[in-house]
Amino acid sequence: YDKGNKYTAPYQWGTMGILARKTSGKPVPDSWAVFFDPKQQAGSFMLIDSVRDMVGAALKYKGYSVNSIDPKELKTVRDLIIEAKKRSVGFEGSVGVKNKILAKTAQYGIVYSGEGVRATSDDKDTVYVVPKENSIIWVDNLAVLAKAPHRDLAEKFINFILEPKVGAQLSEFTQFSTPNKTAKQFMKAEDLANPATYPSADVVAKLEFLQDLGPKLRLYDEVWTEIKAK
């Protein structure tokens, strides 16, 4: 319980990166520069339709924190995204970006790791990578609010999800990483060895969690409104 207010439990985690279609004779994109530097554009691309994630990618490209509240830094990445938007196929959610790449509507785009790994399973000519400038890490949690009408039943459901075999089945279905250590003994060795799903400790150490920015979140709302209006 968190200060008596709720019961929470993590059930999956992942990263954000680049899903790309392999091109013969050309290296796989490994930098956010393929979106933000016209000279390094490697073909048609999709942007992710999520303010903190999209702005976060641009912030990482510039070497800033994904939680920056510096108006100058946010203005810089706003202009980068507006310029990239003009050259892109458009914005979509992570699943939409994956589908566009599988349909060969775009060469590459920004997705979450689960969609990236599922795409590479469906089409061996695609690959998912965390850019060298690094990226965002996130954790999905189940939560029960203090005033939930069926709290006991909700907690039983969470306990069910946290059963090792159930956790393993869930992770292998979604292709997102499991935070449940005991679930790993029931998972396929090749899934656990996939760096797209379970990046190395060195990569994880450099990933950033998005933070609650409180009133400062309005800075991102303002930037996103300007991006979508251009």
Side-chain angles (χ1 to χ4, degrees):
Y1 291 94
D2 177 12
K3 298 181 180 179
N5 293 323
K6 59 186 179 181
Y7 177 75
T8 63
Y11 68 94
Q12 66 180 17
W13 65 274
T15 61
M16 182 181 74
I18 302 171
L19 174 63
R21 180 164 294 285
K22 298 175 185 176
T23 303
S24 180
K26 294 184 179 181
V28 173
D30 66 348
S31 168
W32 293 122
V34 294
F35 302 100
F36 304 120
D37 182 352
K39 294 180 180 179
Q40 296 191 50
Q41 183 173 337
S44 58
F45 62 86
M46 297 288 304
L47 301 172
I48 193 164
D49 195 7
S50 171
V51 52
R52 293 297 301 275
D53 296 320
M54 189 65 244
V55 175
L59 286 166
K60 293 302 287 186
Y61 168 64
K62 293 298 292 182
Y64 306 143
S65 168
V66 297
N67 298 298
S68 175
I69 53 174
D70 183 324
K72 291 183 179 179
E73 293 179 356
L74 291 172
K75 181 179 179 181
T76 296
V77 299
R78 176 203 66 191
D79 294 344
L80 274 177
I81 297 171
I82 289 173
E83 196 279 331
K85 176 185 174 184
K86 296 175 182 177
R87 294 180 287 109
S88 75
V89 177
F91 289 98
E92 288 270 8
S94 182
V95 174
V97 172
K98 178 204 73 171
N99 291 340
K100 286 288 198 309
I101 293 169
L102 290 180
K104 300 183 180 180
T105 303
Q107 285 290 110
Y108 58 97
I110 301 173
V111 300
Y112 305 129
S113 53
E115 277 77 63
V117 174
R118 286 202 298 277
T120 61
S121 296
D122 293 339
D123 186 341
K124 299 302 181 184
D125 287 330
T126 62
V127 62
Y128 172 82
V129 296
V130 173
K132 60 186 179 183
E133 299 91 352
N134 238 287
S135 186
I136 293 168
I137 184 173
W138 49 265
V139 178
D140 279 340
N141 290 271
L142 295 169
V144 184
L145 301 181
K147 295 183 180 180
H150 304 290
R151 185 166 177 166
D152 291 344
L153 183 59
E155 290 179 6
K156 287 179 181 178
F157 176 73
I158 288 179
N159 289 337
F160 169 75
I161 293 296
L162 295 181
E163 286 290 330
K165 287 185 178 180
V166 175
Q169 290 175 331
L170 181 62
S171 183
E172 292 193 338
F173 176 76
T174 66
Q175 291 297 300
F176 285 111
S177 315
T178 180
N180 190 336
K181 291 182 179 180
T182 55
K184 292 183 177 180
Q185 63 184 302
F186 300 105
M187 295 176 65
K188 298 175 184 176
E190 57 266 33
D191 288 342
L192 295 173
N194 187 345
T197 310
Y198 295 96
S200 70
D202 289 342
V203 171
V204 171
K206 296 175 183 178
L207 294 167
E208 277 192 272
F209 281 100
L210 295 175
Q211 298 174 1
D212 180 359
L213 302 177
K216 293 293 185 179
L217 185 59
R218 65 174 177 78
L219 296 172
Y220 283 75
D221 292 338
E222 291 169 0
V223 163
W224 195 239
T225 298
E226 294 178 36
I227 290 169
K228 285 303 189 78
K230 294 296 179 70

